[in-house]
Amino acid sequence: MHRYRTHTCGALREGDIGKKVRLSGWCHRIRDHGGLLFIDLRDHYGLTQCVADPDSPAFAAAERLRAEWVVRIDGTVRHRPAGTENPELPTGAVEVFVGEIEVLGPAAELPMPVFGEQDYPEEIRLKYRFLDLRRERLHANIIKRGAIVDSIRRRMKEQGFFEFQTPILTASSPEGARDFLVPSRLHPGKFYALPQAPQQFKQLVMISGFDRYFQIAPCFRDEDARADRSPGEFYQLDVEMSFVTQEDVFAAVEPVLRGVFEEFADGKSVTPKFPLIPYAEAMLKYGTDKPDLRNPLVIADVSEEFNDPSVTFNAFKNVIKAGGVVRAIPAPGAAAQPRSFFDKLNEWARTELGAPPAT
């Protein structure tokens, strides 16, 4: 028998009932049901319920176990008692009756529990990142990220793109942010830079005659975090194509992105064809060149409403007289708000946005 395991903690099924098995992993949760000990043993592949009762030769050792101890368990696979099956687990129809336990690595009291999905301050999570990454949601996120990268890589190669790895240490060539600098050991007083993007290297690749380039590239920028990007370091799908038009680029990239979205959407609908919006139209309707089309609110031209003689709001009427237009975001239900709501909105526009006072 293997020194540490014959099966992973996610492998056992009803077809394994009666087998002598050996598992190794972390004690995810330990439950004492009146002398009957249940140990949920976890590894990278899943979780298996192990059981020890007072008749088991390993019962004394099982009583000493604590959360996140690393152990090896020998035992026999058997059916879970009727009514105790767990359909949420691939291994939920079986359990292992413990015959022997070896402690491979005891753990001290934990600064944060792994079992459950309680929210903890970020400084605690980062300090004990090795514990944080054992938690189910974080572990699943890491696995999903790898699967998404694999999907992107496969789809790009199917379209004839060739993957490159460009240098990380390079000469400084500032782009939109500040460089991260790395001191040189061989050239005291001089520095390498980490690339903000593989821009120069990929252009060298293209003028060298490689027709279709792609890279899942790390980018390093000494800048603050953004809503869609981590601070300092992030990865991007970087693409170059030779002898193509803009439409060719859209036709190559859209199936990759849409295919990845469909693969990992968990049943949610994905736009079958990405809409193409001219820049001017996007700015006019949405006020941004990357609008979220799930938001139904579209900026509208309301100049005609303020041209009405019965309207006395001169701040907008004067704009129209000067040749301008008034555009507004629809706000359903706003008319039912009290006057104080609009007074506060007016004050906010003046103090925060620098709008002139209404006259």
Side-chain angles (χ1 to χ4, degrees), residues 19-23 73-77 96-100:
K19 289 182 180 178
K20 301 285 188 182
V21 299
R22 175 173 288 175
L23 306 176
I73 289 179
D74 290 0
T76 305
V77 184
V96 173
F97 182 71
V98 179
E100 181 180 338

Side-chain angles (χ1 to χ4, degrees), residues 8 32 73 81 116-117 127 145 210 220 260 284 300 327 330 347:
T8 68
D32 186 347
I73 289 179
E117 290 297 327
K127 182 177 181 180
R145 181 186 187 278
F210 294 92
F220 305 93
V260 170
L284 198 62
R327 301 185 64 80
E347 179 66 22

